[in-house]
């Protein structure tokens, strides 16, 4: 038997098939995330079917686990995802209908936190609080206490990328100004390097510059790239202090 794992971010969606213990059975495949939920659902369903049809040796697929950026409720509805531009999207139901399989949908940072807890659990429980911080298209935080995922009301724990660092700062994709995400996300770093408007939606236009390019130039000693990374590290540390 096998499981399909899908990770949805604003820029790309990744798919990997694993055994029931989570060990990958092949390399992850990636494709661009199309903006409309119906388009994404079709792309995911097609990709899962293509991989499973091509690898009958994997056996029965017992379900699809989906991690997605944004506020996800207990029923698998994406209540709000600023980076994806989604509100009230019934992602779980749409994917169940398209794939005819069992589907579980979770916030991406909560999924990452669960993965960290499971990977180190072994025979010893994980004591005390643990935080997992991810900086990518957005900023997310997963929190676990004594090995148990913190969810709070509406499954909203960890939505800390939208804590304001400066109420007069650049406009964030969520509509507020000065959010942590507006200073340290990939698009914010690229805008800082390019010297363009870091506010949303202007910062979505990254041109040909990527974060990988900036990091490579910083390693080569380029002054502007190094300064961009230093400024980003400063804002990252301010947000971590808030967390």
């Amino acid at each position: 038997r096998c499981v399909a794992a899908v990770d949805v971010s604003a820029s790309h969606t990744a798919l990997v098939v694993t055994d029931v213990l989570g060990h990958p059975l092949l390399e992850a495949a990636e494709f661009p995330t199309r903006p409309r939920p119906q388009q994404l659902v079709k792309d995911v369903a097609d990709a899962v079917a293509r991989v499973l049809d091509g690898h009958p040796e994997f056996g029965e697929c017992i379900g699809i686990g989906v991690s997605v950026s944004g506020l996800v409720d207990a029923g698998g509805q994406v209540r709000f995802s600023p980076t994806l531009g989604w509100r009230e999207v019934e992602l779980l139901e749409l994917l169940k209908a398209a794939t005819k399989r069992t589907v579980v949908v979770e916030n991406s940072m909560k999924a990452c936190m669960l993965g960290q807890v499971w990977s180190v659990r072994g025979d010893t429980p994980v004591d005390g609080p643990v935080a997992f911080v991810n900086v990518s298209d957005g900023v997310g935080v997963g929190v676990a206490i004594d090995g148990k995922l913190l969810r709070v009301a509406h499954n909203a724990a960890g939505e800390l990328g939208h804590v304001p660092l400066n109420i007069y700062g650049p406009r964030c994709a969520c509509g507020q100004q000065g959010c942590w995400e507006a200073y340290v996300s990939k698009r914010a770093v690229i805008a800082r390097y390019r010297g363009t408007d870091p506010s949303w939606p202007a910062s979505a236009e990254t041109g040909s510059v990527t974060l990988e390019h900036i990091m490579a130039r910083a390693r080569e000693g380029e002054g502007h790239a190094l300064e961009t990374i230093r400024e980003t590290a400063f804002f990252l540390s301010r947000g971590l202090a808030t967390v």
Side-chain angles (χ1 to χ4, degrees), residues 64 96 110 208:
I64 302 171
K96 280 178 62 177
K110 290 182 176 64
S208 60

Side-chain angles (χ1 to χ4, degrees), residues 113-114 117-118 121 125-130 144-150:
M113 186 71 260
L114 284 173
V117 169
W118 292 340
R121 178 176 287 163
V126 180
D127 295 327
V130 181
I145 299 176
D146 295 332
K148 296 182 179 180
L149 192 65
L150 184 66

Side-chain angles (χ1 to χ4, degrees), residues 117-187:
V117 169
W118 292 340
S119 68
V120 301
R121 178 176 287 163
D123 297 324
T124 306
V126 180
D127 295 327
V130 181
F132 183 95
V133 181
N134 182 67
V135 180
S136 184
D137 293 315
V139 176
V141 181
V143 180
I145 299 176
D146 295 332
K148 296 182 179 180
L149 192 65
L150 184 66
R151 293 189 179 276
V152 308
H154 308 297
N155 205 26
E159 292 298 318
L160 298 173
H162 303 289
V163 171
L165 301 184
N166 178 1
I167 60 173
Y168 303 107
R171 185 176 180 84
C172 180
C174 74
Q176 298 185 113
Q177 286 184 259
C179 293
W180 189 19
E181 182 174 300
Y183 286 99
V184 300
S185 64
K186 286 200 300 187
R187 63 176 184 275

Side-chain angles (χ1 to χ4, degrees), residues 165-229:
L165 301 184
N166 178 1
I167 60 173
Y168 303 107
R171 185 176 180 84
C172 180
C174 74
Q176 298 185 113
Q177 286 184 259
C179 293
W180 189 19
E181 182 174 300
Y183 286 99
V184 300
S185 64
K186 286 200 300 187
R187 63 176 184 275
V189 177
I190 293 170
R192 184 174 297 121
Y193 181 79
R194 296 176 68 203
T196 56
D197 186 357
S199 293
W200 182 266
S203 62
E205 299 297 328
T206 60
S208 60
V209 178
T210 67
L211 190 60
E212 289 73 20
H213 292 154
I214 297 171
M215 295 299 294
R217 291 167 188 173
R219 292 188 184 98
E220 292 168 358
E222 183 188 293
H224 183 47
L226 288 168
E227 184 60 26
T228 298
I229 299 302

Side-chain angles (χ1 to χ4, degrees), residues 34-44 86 89 91 94 98:
R34 294 201 285 174
R36 293 180 57 194
Q38 293 81 359
Q39 294 172 327
L40 173 71
V41 167
K42 182 179 185 305
D43 290 344
V44 169
W86 292 358
V89 174
L91 186 59
L94 290 170

